[in-house]
Amino acid sequence: KDVAWQMANECNVQAAQITLDGLGELYAKKKGTTSENFYRTIQNIKDACDLFRIIIRINIDRDNVQEIENLLALLLDESGLNGKILVDFAMIQNWNDEEEIKNTCLTESEYITFIKDIHRTALVRGWGDSFMQKLPRRHIVSCGMLHVNNCVIGPDEKLYRCSHMLNREGWEIGNLQDGLLHNGTDLRFLLDSADKRCRT
């Protein structure tokens, strides 16, 4: 809680996104950590949610789709976070055509069915205040990587410009001890220009 207070009051953090892609055992498997850290993360969310906005990002695939309702019940009902946090879902996609990911990805039709079902459940269970609007939202820039103040904190305490670069060697742009380094990797994102066909 002291760290959350420092983030809000000394570092001017106004919002944070935390990924929870399943309950304790699955969370541990996906994050390469322990189930104890899942419950510690829940406690950290409870400690910080009154200090700045917290968005819980839940990446959906075949591994976790069946336990999402139980995860939401734990967060919103048992942990008392209903209306204090926002929940946002995303479909895991096989961006790099990796064989091990291919079989876990939902089809677009399956994902849409999931979204309809979980929103229906949210209405029945009174979770509506914690659900982010699913209508398309206006974006000032096309990608979080292009924000100067956007960064992702990895479990290795390294900073990355984008969650797609997490834990990838050579893509770190700093660390928690030294802050942003504004190294060559970071400048590639900040100084890069889009093709004319993309801008138009």
Side-chain angles (χ1 to χ4, degrees), residues 73-112:
L74 173 67
L75 282 170
L76 303 177
D77 292 336
E78 294 173 42
S79 299
L81 293 169
N82 191 19
K84 295 182 176 182
I85 59 172
L86 292 171
V87 177
D88 192 26
F89 301 101
M91 180 175 78
I92 290 182
Q93 298 181 39
N94 193 6
W95 295 106
N96 300 316
D97 200 28
E98 295 177 28
E99 197 61 39
E100 63 183 84
I101 295 176
K102 186 186 293 185
N103 297 327
T104 66
C105 292
L106 297 175
T107 65
E108 286 187 15
S109 175
E110 289 170 327
Y111 180 72
I112 289 169

Side-chain angles (χ1 to χ4, degrees), residues 166-182:
L166 207 59
N167 291 334
R168 291 189 179 200
E169 180 109 16
W171 288 100
E172 57 274 354
I173 60 168
N175 57 65
L176 288 181
Q177 299 301 317
D178 304 317
L180 293 173
L181 301 177
H182 299 298

Side-chain angles (χ1 to χ4, degrees), residues 43-196:
Q43 185 59 52
N44 288 344
I45 293 166
K46 289 164 71 173
D47 288 342
C49 70
D50 293 326
L51 297 167
F52 46 82
R53 186 166 52 110
I54 299 214
I55 300 163
I56 303 300
R57 165 79 172 255
I58 304 176
N59 299 303
I60 305 298
D61 64 8
R62 293 188 197 286
D63 292 340
N64 68 1
V65 70
Q66 296 301 320
E67 66 181 49
I68 299 305
E69 185 175 344
N70 291 335
L71 173 61
L72 291 174
L74 173 67
L75 282 170
L76 303 177
D77 292 336
E78 294 173 42
S79 299
L81 293 169
N82 191 19
K84 295 182 176 182
I85 59 172
L86 292 171
V87 177
D88 192 26
F89 301 101
M91 180 175 78
I92 290 182
Q93 298 181 39
N94 193 6
W95 295 106
N96 300 316
D97 200 28
E98 295 177 28
E99 197 61 39
E100 63 183 84
I101 295 176
K102 186 186 293 185
N103 297 327
T104 66
C105 292
L106 297 175
T107 65
E108 286 187 15
S109 175
E110 289 170 327
Y111 180 72
I112 289 169
T113 299
F114 161 78
I115 288 295
K116 287 180 179 178
D117 290 345
I118 203 67
H119 278 82
R120 198 173 295 118
T121 300
L123 289 173
V124 169
R125 298 191 67 160
W127 295 339
D129 289 342
S130 282
F131 270 54
M132 293 187 73
Q133 183 180 4
K134 292 316 291 183
L135 295 173
R137 295 188 301 267
R138 179 174 178 259
H139 290 280
I140 303 302
V141 295
S142 59
C143 173
M145 289 188 296
L146 304 180
H147 285 289
V148 175
N149 294 324
N150 192 65
C151 70
V152 179
I153 303 172
D156 54 4
E157 297 189 1
K158 291 180 181 173
L159 303 177
Y160 301 85
R161 186 59 69 193
C162 168
S163 57
H164 290 283
M165 306 306 169
L166 207 59
N167 291 334
R168 291 189 179 200
E169 180 109 16
W171 288 100
E172 57 274 354
I173 60 168
N175 57 65
L176 288 181
Q177 299 301 317
D178 304 317
L180 293 173
L181 301 177
H182 299 298
N183 57 13
T185 300
D186 196 23
L187 293 177
R188 283 177 59 189
F189 292 116
L190 300 178
L191 301 179
D192 199 19
S193 59
D195 289 345
K196 182 180 178 185

